[in-house]
Amino acid sequence: MLGRGLLKGMRVTLKSFFNKKETLQYPEKKLPMPARFRGGELDLDTKKCIACGLCSMACPNHVIELTTGTNEAKKRYLKSYVYHSGLCLYCNFCVEACPTNAICWDKNYENSRYFQEDLDVDCLAIAEQKDTLKGRDDG
Amino acid sequence: MQEITSLFQIAKILRELLGRFLPDEQLVDFCMSLINIGAIFMIISLTAVVLVYAERKVSAFMQRRSGPNRVGPKGTLQSVADMIKLMAKEDIMPTGADKWMWMLAPMLLFIPAAAVFVVFPFDDKAIFADLNIGIFYFIAISAQSVLPFLMAGWASNNKYSLVGGMRTVAQMLSYEVPMVLSILGIVMLVGSMRMSSIVAAQEQVWFIFLQPIAFVVYVITATAEINRAPFDLVEGESELVAGPFTEYTGMRWALFFLAEYANLLAVSAIATTLFLGGWNGPWFPGWVWFFLKVGGMIFLFMWFRWTFPRLRIDQLMAFGWKMLLPLALVNVIVTGIGMYIYNFFS
Amino acid sequence: MVKTETYTLNMGPQHPSTHGVLQVVLELDGELVIQAVPHMGYLHRGIEKLAESRTYAQFIPYTDRLDYVSSMGNNWGYCQTVEKLMGITVPERAEYLRIIMTELNRIASHLIFMGSLAIDLGASTGMMFGFRSRERILDLFDMACGARQTYSYIRFGGVSADIPPEFIPELERFLADFPAMLAEYHELLTGNEILYHRLKGTGVISGQRALEIGLTGPALRASGVAYDIRKVEPYGIYDHFDFSVPLGQVGDCWDRYIVRMEEMKQSASIARQALDQMPEGQVMAKIPKVIKPPVGDVYHSIENPRGELGFYIVSDGSTKPYRLHVRRPSFINLQVLNETCQGLLIGDVVAVLATLDSLMGEVDC
């Protein structure tokens, strides 16, 4: 019969009309991100970091800028650590390159900014602020 | 129940009320006409607002989405928000556009869409003007909506709009002919063009059972007349951006949009009157049945839009002239023969 | 005699249906196309030049962004080229994982093709349906490597990490649901007479012409030429699997559409077989810390969803390539647009562009 294909197509859309809806009511409900999700900003753990600079060398796009210094005990320590999130490709090479698992993703994908300067994240300052807050809570 | 709440009774009550305050009989008639015009305009604007929301919800449900559900309870105030946004937009006129033609086109499109509402039988004896050429008036006025598309397309000084305008004229003119012929079958059965007699003749059996081919032809040609998918290549978004409407913004574009939805209501109302028995129906008042049937037809048109892809221009012309026109003619012939045999045996 | 003139219509870079930023300058006589000249380069990012200042491993995220819809395939092509240059062998489990990921990516890419074709021709419901199924595949990839579109999952010597334990049950669920989804799409789109008449008979490319111009992928197979690199020169472990390569007869838009729909079915069957046969083991071979390939050049190509993706690397012995060239299938397939569209109507140009399935990220590189 001429037009049978059209009628079958109409039946598909009608069935779809009564089916469950796939919409997620964001921002009231948010989808959980899987464990390996690469997104947000880098979360630096200063206690684990040995200031080797491997993350900066592995990065394809010169996103991580770090400066190191040596203290009196001839041990290297981190002086500054800036993560240029605007240049980042989210390729995960830095996280994989770190020998001590000092950096990981903070998985916060709602991190848009109004000004371009705010895209440069000072990970060391954030880590130190978190440490002082934790110190205040513990002590 | 039909007696108490029919529109005729409501009109009688209003008339008595006015008669007490106004001295002259003719003044009462004049006031009643103004109330009727106001009611019709209210129906058109309410329809446009409701249909925009209904279209978005129907399309969303068919695509397993939720549609608008933030503005107002369940998203019902979405159309109001859209209207406010459109009114606040900047009014841009393209340079080199033919100023008066360009500005008049949306208004000239809206006027026929609104003017055809005078012959719709909403209820028993509830027609604004029960002309004895009722259906002929509808065909004549709705044919006027071809010209504003061409005006918009030409006056916009834009190649996309011109191509869109040319396509519209070709499409709408080609599909007028089968539409008129499909309506002709109904007129032959009833013997009169008056809308109220057409509805009255369907008290026993609806004409959709007596004229199924005419119904199919009418639905297809009506979809083409109101430029909806699968015949929406006039504004084929993925080919010509927006066709004749490309250069219109803000309230002007809103007028085009409103006219499109008023047209949708108009052809659904005609389909209900001619094929689905108008306001006939048990238990409920006539106008409730009328709007239920019109709602069903509107759902059918929306269902078509969200399922089918678009036709190409040459396929559209071939389909209209080579398939629908002979089909409508055959329907007229068969109706004539059928009527002769029926009269011969009774 | 009435004198008529042709006019130029610009389907500009910003257009709802040119699959990205492509400008097609149409010369029209009424509605008939006389010339359809594509102008590209609006998305050029200099990826081949960037490769000369990145080490081999650092270039992997850039290959993701060539044909951004089939990133697994791009990664695999590049990694196999470097492995060929350095003589690295990949462990079995990694080979099976690579195949599963690439075939799932093929399904996802063809679903995008189907969705864009539907919405270009006016049936917007088709696009929503296609993208809904694609979400399930993207969720699988998200579970395995943490990204939904630019994976960098396939690395030199294997894959970056083994799949998490919840991956396999989810994959089995998807493979069980997929035939029903495909049947729904066939009912909505393939059976539709309007779609059939839009696509049948338009944009015919003969097999002979396709071979002359260098067309590859489903467009070539729709023209009747049985050339699929997975069968002709199997790479990876494709010779372990039993699958057929769908062919078309005429080479019109309808054949290109049907070939891709059938390929989705075949990809699901390959993924099923790979899942059944996959052994346990390592997922990464022992490779040197610093990748310094020997001096020389190499060319290697794989069958991407859009055609033959090839990488040509010239190495001068250092850690960065001397020259890297990508043979991009969408770029070469796009050449055929002008001669195919001559004599068609505007609506057909949209259909031909949609069925050639060019992705601008790959065309412009």
Side-chain angles (χ1 to χ4, degrees):
Chain A
M1 176 188 104
L2 190 73
R4 186 194 278 150
L6 298 176
L7 291 175
K8 274 209 254 189
M10 282 171 69
R11 190 179 66 191
V12 169
T13 20
L14 191 65
K15 245 197 306 188
S16 204
F17 188 85
F18 296 109
N19 273 348
K20 194 169 92 73
K21 308 290 163 273
E22 305 264 345
T23 317
L24 183 80
Q25 298 297 341
Y26 183 89
E28 285 91 21
K29 294 198 185 61
K30 298 193 189 169
L31 276 179
M33 290 291 122
R36 298 185 185 179
F37 176 65
R38 319 197 289 245
E41 292 164 358
L42 286 182
D43 197 10
L44 175 69
D45 188 346
T46 38
K47 288 198 255 310
K48 292 197 191 151
C49 176
I50 57 172
C52 60
L54 278 177
C55 53
S56 180
M57 284 195 278
C59 177
N61 226 13
H62 313 295
V63 171
I64 299 181
E65 252 178 63
L66 56 87
T67 52
T68 57
T70 13
N71 61 9
E72 312 81 31
K74 292 289 173 62
K75 220 170 101 147
R76 287 171 72 149
Y77 70 97
L78 208 54
K79 267 211 265 191
S80 76
Y81 194 95
V82 176
Y83 163 71
H84 296 286
S85 66
L87 298 176
C88 182
L89 293 177
Y90 298 96
C91 62
N92 221 24
F93 281 7
C94 52
V95 173
E96 290 173 9
C98 179
T100 53
N101 288 329
I103 45 173
C104 65
W105 293 107
D106 72 350
K107 297 197 178 30
N108 167 33
Y109 47 81
E110 295 165 345
N111 54 1
S112 47
R113 304 271 183 266
Y114 280 107
F115 300 102
Q116 205 183 31
E117 301 83 52
D118 297 338
L119 287 177
D120 300 332
V121 178
D122 191 348
C123 296
L124 199 60
I126 295 179
E128 283 168 357
Q129 203 179 36
K130 252 200 286 194
D131 282 341
T132 35
L133 279 175
K134 215 160 85 86
R136 218 182 301 145
D137 285 338
D138 286 341
Chain B
M1 189 177 175
Q2 201 159 9
E3 278 303 308
I4 303 177
T5 55
S6 77
L7 285 180
F8 187 55
Q9 293 291 95
I10 298 177
K12 246 182 27 181
I13 298 173
L14 270 176
R15 201 176 269 272
E16 273 177 53
L17 215 64
L18 282 174
R20 261 184 259 157
F21 293 109
L22 297 171
D24 203 359
E25 191 57 39
Q26 284 194 335
L27 215 52
V28 172
D29 278 337
F30 183 66
C31 281
M32 283 303 290
S33 317
L34 284 184
I35 292 179
N36 283 339
I37 295 178
I40 289 183
F41 266 110
M42 204 181 66
I43 290 179
I44 297 177
S45 7
L46 251 174
T47 309
V49 165
V50 168
L51 278 184
V52 168
Y53 172 72
E55 170 111 63
R56 289 175 72 160
K57 275 301 221 198
V58 165
S59 78
F61 276 32
M62 284 189 176
Q63 296 168 356
R64 317 255 313 241
R65 304 181 284 125
S66 300
N69 62 352
R70 298 259 162 188
V71 189
K74 288 221 188 306
T76 38
L77 294 181
Q78 180 73 36
S79 317
V80 177
D82 281 340
M83 282 297 137
I84 297 177
K85 176 204 82 166
L86 284 170
M87 283 197 271
K89 276 197 168 195
E90 181 188 350
D91 192 16
I92 309 174
M93 189 167 94
T95 46
D98 195 336
K99 186 160 171 230
W100 283 107
M101 272 222 284
W102 186 81
M103 292 206 286
L104 276 176
M107 287 178 240
L108 284 188
L109 187 58
F110 193 70
I111 292 174
V116 290
F117 276 76
V118 303
V119 290
F120 290 160
F122 295 105
D123 200 353
D124 198 8
K125 299 194 209 48
I127 313 180
F128 184 76
D130 198 4
L131 306 171
N132 60 349
I133 51 159
I135 197 69
F136 181 72
Y137 172 83
F138 166 75
I139 296 172
I141 298 286
S142 70
Q144 298 306 308
S145 45
V146 176
L147 192 60
F149 281 103
L150 191 58
M151 285 169 66
W154 176 265
S156 294
N157 195 23
N158 180 348
K159 277 179 225 170
Y160 282 118
S161 312
L162 186 61
V163 174
M166 298 290 204
R167 280 181 175 181
T168 318
V169 173
Q171 176 185 318
M172 290 176 93
L173 287 181
S174 327
Y175 280 77
E176 285 282 342
V177 185
M179 184 161 95
V180 172
L181 286 177
S182 67
I183 296 177
L184 187 59
I186 302 285
V187 172
M188 283 166 69
L189 277 183
V190 177
S192 139
M193 288 198 267
R194 197 186 280 266
M195 295 292 245
S196 47
S197 357
I198 296 179
V199 176
Q202 292 185 68
E203 249 171 291
Q204 309 303 325
V205 58
W206 291 353
F207 282 154
I208 185 176
F209 302 111
L210 296 180
Q211 297 257 298
I213 299 180
F215 180 66
V216 170
V217 172
Y218 178 78
V219 165
I220 298 177
T221 51
T223 327
E225 283 299 310
I226 55 179
N227 296 325
R228 280 179 76 89
F231 302 104
D232 68 344
L233 44 78
V234 166
E235 36 175 70
E237 217 183 68
S238 52
E239 293 170 31
L240 296 177
V241 193
F245 310 151
T246 318
E247 298 288 348
Y248 290 87
T249 58
M251 224 35 221
R252 298 183 200 277
W253 185 79
L255 267 178
F256 268 122
F257 213 55
L258 252 59
E260 198 181 294
Y261 282 105
N263 266 330
L264 174 62
L265 181 67
V267 296
S268 306
I270 292 289
T272 311
T273 317
L274 294 182
F275 295 99
L276 295 181
W279 46 261
N280 284 318
W283 310 310
F284 293 127
W287 48 274
V288 172
W289 275 115
F290 182 78
F291 281 111
L292 275 175
K293 293 176 192 175
V294 166
M297 286 300 300
I298 291 180
F299 181 73
L300 185 70
F301 284 122
M302 288 186 183
W303 196 2
F304 283 167
R305 177 175 183 179
W306 297 106
T307 315
F308 298 141
R310 209 171 282 134
L311 260 73
R312 216 172 51 207
I313 184 75
D314 61 331
Q315 292 170 341
L316 189 140
M317 303 293 277
F319 186 63
W321 289 105
K322 296 192 211 170
M323 274 282 296
L324 288 182
L325 182 59
L327 206 61
L329 280 173
V330 160
N331 179 53
V332 167
I333 295 173
V334 167
T335 310
I337 296 177
M339 280 176 65
Y340 183 73
I341 295 177
Y342 183 73
N343 286 334
F344 188 71
F345 280 114
S346 65
Chain C
M1 262 300 282
V2 180
K3 176 170 165 295
T4 54
E5 249 178 53
T6 59
Y7 65 100
T8 318
L9 191 66
N10 182 29
M11 265 172 81
Q14 301 133 318
H15 190 97
S17 76
T18 50
H19 292 260
V21 277
L22 174 69
Q23 181 185 24
V24 182
V25 178
L26 295 168
E27 201 183 311
L28 298 168
D29 176 16
E31 284 248 352
L32 220 61
V33 173
I34 309 286
Q35 289 270 355
V37 181
H39 291 273
M40 56 200 157
Y42 288 92
L43 195 52
H44 181 69
R45 294 159 289 177
I47 292 184
E48 291 185 0
K49 179 66 186 171
L50 279 175
E52 295 174 11
S53 50
R54 304 278 181 275
T55 64
Y56 288 91
Q58 280 179 342
F59 187 64
I60 294 179
Y62 290 90
T63 57
D64 276 337
R65 286 147 170 91
L66 284 169
D67 175 359
Y68 37 80
V69 168
S70 37
S71 299
M72 291 287 186
N74 301 351
N75 284 345
W76 196 9
Y78 176 63
C79 291
Q80 275 205 322
T81 317
V82 174
E83 286 161 8
K84 197 163 157 180
L85 192 55
M86 293 188 56
I88 300 175
T89 21
V90 177
E92 275 247 36
R93 186 171 168 87
E95 289 277 24
Y96 276 95
L97 279 177
R98 285 177 168 188
I99 295 232
I100 293 178
M101 295 300 177
T102 325
E103 290 305 318
L104 283 178
N105 209 330
R106 197 181 304 270
I107 299 178
S109 173
H110 285 331
L111 281 172
I112 289 202
F113 154 77
M114 185 190 86
S116 339
L117 179 68
I119 205 170
D120 283 347
L121 294 183
S124 27
T125 324
M127 181 187 212
M128 297 295 163
F129 284 9
F131 274 66
R132 187 166 46 95
S133 303
R134 187 171 170 260
E135 280 300 304
R136 307 249 325 240
I137 302 182
L138 294 189
D139 283 340
L140 280 168
F141 287 153
D142 207 356
M143 229 187 273
C145 65
R148 282 162 54 95
Q149 190 140 316
T150 50
Y151 313 116
S152 302
Y153 182 60
I154 299 182
R155 310 284 177 84
F156 304 137
V159 292
S160 69
D162 204 348
I163 47 178
E166 57 264 18
F167 185 86
I168 296 198
E170 183 63 41
L171 180 60
E172 304 229 348
R173 256 197 301 268
F174 172 71
L175 288 176
D177 289 341
F178 189 65
M181 291 184 203
L182 206 53
E184 201 186 17
Y185 305 148
H186 276 294
E187 233 185 276
L188 180 67
L189 293 174
T190 314
N192 198 317
E193 278 94 356
I194 302 179
L195 197 80
Y196 183 77
H197 287 291
R198 272 310 281 273
L199 296 179
K200 188 87 184 141
T202 53
V204 176
I205 307 176
S206 68
Q208 176 67 20
R209 183 67 191 145
L211 282 173
E212 280 172 14
I213 211 166
L215 219 57
T216 48
L220 178 67
R221 293 195 279 279
S223 300
V225 180
Y227 183 73
D228 185 337
I229 302 182
R230 298 176 290 172
K231 286 278 195 200
V232 170
E233 308 168 13
Y235 52 95
I237 43 167
Y238 268 114
D239 37 10
H240 293 206
F241 301 115
D242 173 34
F243 64 99
S244 67
V245 170
L247 282 183
Q249 286 112 10
V250 180
D252 57 2
C253 292
W254 178 253
D255 276 340
R256 291 193 279 272
Y257 166 75
I258 288 289
V259 160
R260 287 194 177 91
M261 300 298 275
E262 287 299 308
E263 275 194 7
M264 279 202 267
K265 203 161 86 168
Q266 296 299 321
S267 289
S269 132
I270 296 179
R272 177 83 252 170
Q273 291 171 43
L275 192 60
D276 292 334
Q277 294 175 20
M278 189 161 72
E280 298 295 326
Q282 284 184 318
V283 291
M284 177 65 93
K286 276 254 171 293
I287 52 171
K289 235 175 184 240
V290 177
I291 309 267
K292 257 200 195 167
V295 177
D297 58 353
V298 67
Y299 174 78
H300 180 71
S301 62
I302 63 161
E303 182 77 24
N304 227 19
R306 288 183 168 72
E308 173 183 341
L309 176 70
F311 283 88
Y312 176 64
I313 302 184
V314 177
S315 156
D316 58 354
S318 69
T319 48
K320 303 191 179 159
Y322 179 72
R323 171 80 171 105
L324 189 149
H325 173 68
V326 188
R327 185 235 186 250
R328 310 182 298 277
S330 306
F331 177 65
I332 298 184
N333 288 0
L334 199 58
Q335 298 173 82
V336 85
L337 186 70
N338 196 356
E339 55 190 68
T340 315
C341 286
Q342 287 177 3
L344 299 179
L345 300 176
I346 302 182
D348 294 327
V349 173
V350 173
V352 169
L353 207 53
T355 50
L356 277 182
D357 200 14
S358 283
L359 208 74
M360 294 324 286
E362 206 175 42
V363 173
D364 291 335
C365 179

